[in-house]
Amino acid sequence: MKLPLADSDIRQTVTALIDGAPVRGGGAEIPVFYPATGGRVATLIEDGAADIDRAVAAARRAFDHGPWPHLGVEERQDRLCRFSEVIEDNIPLLAGLECFDTGKPMRDLLTRYLKRTAHCFRFFADYIGQSSGVVYDQVKGYRTVVAREPIGVAALLAPWNSPISLGSMKVAAALAFGNTCVLKPSEQTPMALVRLVELLHEAGLPEGAVNVVNGRGPVTGAALVAHPDVDLISFTGGTETGRAIMAAAARNLIPCMTELGGKSANIVFASADLDQALDGALLGIYTNAGQQCLAGSRILVERPVFDAFVARFAERAERIRIGDPTDDATEMGPVASEAHMKHVLSYAGLAREEGGRLVAGGVRDESLGNGYFVRPTAVVAPSNDTRVAQEEIFGPFATFLPFDGVEEAVAIANGTDFGLMSYVWSDHLPTVNAVVPRLRSGGIMVNATMMRDLRAPFGGFKESGVGREGGEACERFYTHEKFVSTRLAPGPLRQLGAA
Ligand code: NAD
């Protein structure tokens, strides 16, 4: 198996980055593995409470005394655009590191994820150039101006499934609205994000504006979110972790947004273009080996076309080219870790125990050496009440359920604790119009696979999270509103004690 980068391109030791300089924390050494080979590629040095103190203090200094929050908007825009350019210029390096971290196919990283990361900084640069405060002048004699100001030090926590896109979006948004931050990547996937923040410094990011700490969630993450000098928290990760994060935010009474898990319904009506729906269903669950919060992991198919659709899906799933992430022909890479591979595979056994029918995969691909390769898997579940239909498996694992008509489609789609995305496939407009308003999810794609418009608020209903990310949504989250009411002309005031 080829490696995405030469050894000389990667740092063997991954440390914190505080005030723009590497700082070796005082905690445990944690191995970082390349999921495609199972080989160790780097060692992460865990940061403990004292290291978190330093990182938060650096961000605090940068906020209270540094230039970043006080830059004029146009200057901040220029810097964000420069950050975008430096990311563009380093796409092969960052893609290689992200591939080492995650095993994602290089082709996807080069053509989509990294371009998106660069675009995100430009997007927020554009956004802040257009947004403005509000003036109220309805009360006679007064003018009230509502302005927005940065909040302070943001704690940003990213998961392992798409570290660079998800982590960098938080960094771009926090910076765009004038905050400083401490970023904690997942301990499994720190390399690309740390390098990205180093590149931002090379491109003119002031010291302390973005600091990085590394380590496991219950150690480094928990210390960061509980830190009394953190002013807001943005978290993307699992639902159970989300509860702990929100509890920590509640203790310090600070704003917190959480983007959590999903078990999204991909609803295929008989009235759909079934070829397109098939392509969409395969992309919806096997992109990034199913390790996407927004994966269409429950595939609901109308009964008259159910058997034929499942058969075609299974046949295509078995033909998906999995293997070396550096090979342009590879369509699906490994899952992110050995433990996660075992977790995903355990659901194949569970599906059988629950009376499900395995129609594709369900096994590790032993032909690919020690990499964490799970064959694209699909099961037909006996009901939506089974664990394979309810639990987020977060791997290349599709769960099929049949339905009859709009009512049942809606009931099954909404019959989950999650509510992140839904996908609807039908060429019959009244069917689409009947279903869409009733789906309890933060986003709905109609006759399309996921397309993330950064302007639109992204986030979940129910246990998929609290809060949204997007242009305006981030402006609301990363800024305080402040009103200033001015009396337009002097006049008599009520005079207490004057009589
Ligand atoms: P996770 O919750 O285990 O970890 C996410 C981050 O939080 C990591 O940096 C981790 O180290 C840290 N963390 C873990 N426990 C912590 C604690 N007690 N206190 C503070 N920090 C802690 O999630 P994961 O396994 O890295 O990612 C997979 C999950 O993320 C899936 O459930 C997936 O659906 C979700 N996800 C959601 C979105 C979304 O936008 N809704 C996007 C991507 C992933």
Side-chain angles (χ1 to χ4, degrees), residues 157-161 166 184-187 215-218 221-222 225 235-238 241 244-245 259-262 293 392 394 420 458 464:
L157 295 101
W160 49 258
N161 64 311
L166 298 170
K184 197 202 88 61
S186 165
E187 61 278 23
R216 289 164 292 179
V225 296
F235 170 79
T236 299
T241 317
I245 304 277
E259 301 277 9
L260 309 176
C293 53
E392 185 185 42
F394 215 57
L420 192 58
F458 181 83
S464 288

Side-chain angles (χ1 to χ4, degrees), residues 321-340:
R321 291 187 299 272
I322 70 174
D324 186 346
T326 66
D327 185 339
D328 270 356
T330 294
E331 294 176 303
M332 194 180 97
V335 298
S337 69
E338 186 173 14
H340 191 54

Side-chain angles (χ1 to χ4, degrees), residues 155 157 170 225 232-250 254-261 293 419-420 458-469 477-478:
L157 295 101
K170 293 185 190 302
V225 296
L232 71 167
I233 304 172
S234 173
F235 170 79
T236 299
T239 293
E240 283 316 309
T241 317
R243 291 185 212 280
I245 304 277
M246 291 198 78
I254 57 173
C256 175
M257 62 89 53
T258 54
E259 301 277 9
L260 309 176
C293 53
L420 192 58
F458 181 83
F461 283 20
K462 301 192 274 184
E463 295 192 0
S464 288
V466 178
R468 296 289 182 270
E469 276 182 330
F477 179 70
Y478 287 102

